[in-house]
Amino acid sequence: MVRRYIFTSESVTEGHPDKICDQVSDSILDEFLANDSESRVAVESLTSTGIVFVAGEVTSRQRVDIQKVVRTVIREIGYDRPEYGFDSESCSVIESIHEQSPDISLGVTPSKQREQGAGDQGLMFGYATNETAELMPLPIIMAHKLSMKLSALRKQKKLGWIRPDGKSQVSVVYEGTKPVRIDTVVISTQHAPDISLSQLREEIVSKVIKEICSDWITPNSKFLVNPTGRFVIGGPMADTGLTGRKVIADTYGGAGRHGGGAFSGKDPSKVDRSACYMARYIAKNIVAAGLADKCEVQLAYAIGLPDPVSVMVNTFGTSRIDDELIERRVRDSFEMKPADIIRILDLKRPIYKKTAAYGHFGRNEPEFTWERTDKLTDLAGGTINS
């Protein structure tokens, strides 16, 4: 008997306090990389009422005006007036940045005697599934598109009462491994104080939920819009934000496992970030090649060493050929040393701010090189001995 169950994922808008911090950290990274591609950056941010803290380690020939970067990000997100309780001009910005530890640099910096090693030990996962065109799980794709729609309507002033902070959540009914319909959509959006709850709910349902989710909505689908009834106070005035606190929304919405490392604010020598991109690249190509309906790839590294200590492919029983054979083809088709990942995916560029909101995966944009499907022939056995 095919099991029926509901799976849920969430997303947040760019004005959510945690996402403010991710965008601040990645914008600082981009500024360093823009004029020094060899910059080593590990920057964290924290925000609360009226203040942003930036701390971390940077080694670079480039100098960056941290204050200017932070205020620009906050203004572009939409916190640009004092009535929001947090704005780009009046907030305080405190920074504490020092150079990377030379002990870490020993293992990461290449030399005549040593290849570039991993910036830390750790385990990283990539995931793909054929349930959407993006080869991503349906709940997280729908949640991200809802959050993006909220922000687009706000910035285009089509729904001028929407304010920057917001969340979406999508619960999808599955039969076996296949999504069949949306059970529940939850939207919570910060809003101006003079909008009525009835108008807010009607416009969110008609102009956001039904616009995005129409193919998956049935008469039984439920819409919960601002369930508490009021969300005027939002952003850092209402909640503390921190870099790296939305790692499940950043990845696969909980459908795939997560190794624990956050992405934002880290240059690509940190395998926490770059190896997750490579693992997604591998998993997506496996599914796109038709070798499996869904796939999870785990890579693991030791600090200072270039080769992964393990490579694992799991297709959850959906593969057309043996998983061990897929693993061998992966090892033949993909270079997984940190320097190779950086070169193949072209990661020493200022591309990271865009990744810091609405997910790092499933994005069909030129910066997202790990979304390419250019290894299909190799994985299918067309150019290697299987």
Side-chain angles (χ1 to χ4, degrees), residues 13 20 36 137 250 270:
T13 66
I20 294 172
D36 180 6
D250 284 341
K270 280 73 173 174

Side-chain angles (χ1 to χ4, degrees), residues 209-245:
I209 297 175
K210 290 185 176 179
E211 286 283 328
I212 296 299
C213 303
S214 58
D215 290 344
W216 297 93
I217 292 172
T218 71
N220 294 322
S221 299
K222 300 179 287 291
F223 308 138
L224 305 177
V225 178
N226 280 30
T228 65
R230 183 176 171 86
F231 187 4
V232 173
I233 301 171
M237 187 177 182
D239 191 13
T240 299
L242 188 66
T243 298
R245 204 158 57 179

Side-chain angles (χ1 to χ4, degrees), residues 268-281:
S269 73
K270 280 73 173 174
V271 284
D272 274 351
R273 179 171 221 158
S274 56
C276 281
Y277 293 169
M278 176 55 74
R280 163 64 177 173
Y281 180 41

Side-chain angles (χ1 to χ4, degrees), residues 50 130 148 150 189-190 195 208 251 281 295 303 307-308 341 356 373:
N130 64 4
M148 292 174 79
L150 278 176
T189 182
Q190 186 186 12
I195 184 78
V208 179
T251 52
Y281 180 41
C295 178
I303 188 169
D307 290 297
I341 294 172
T373 52

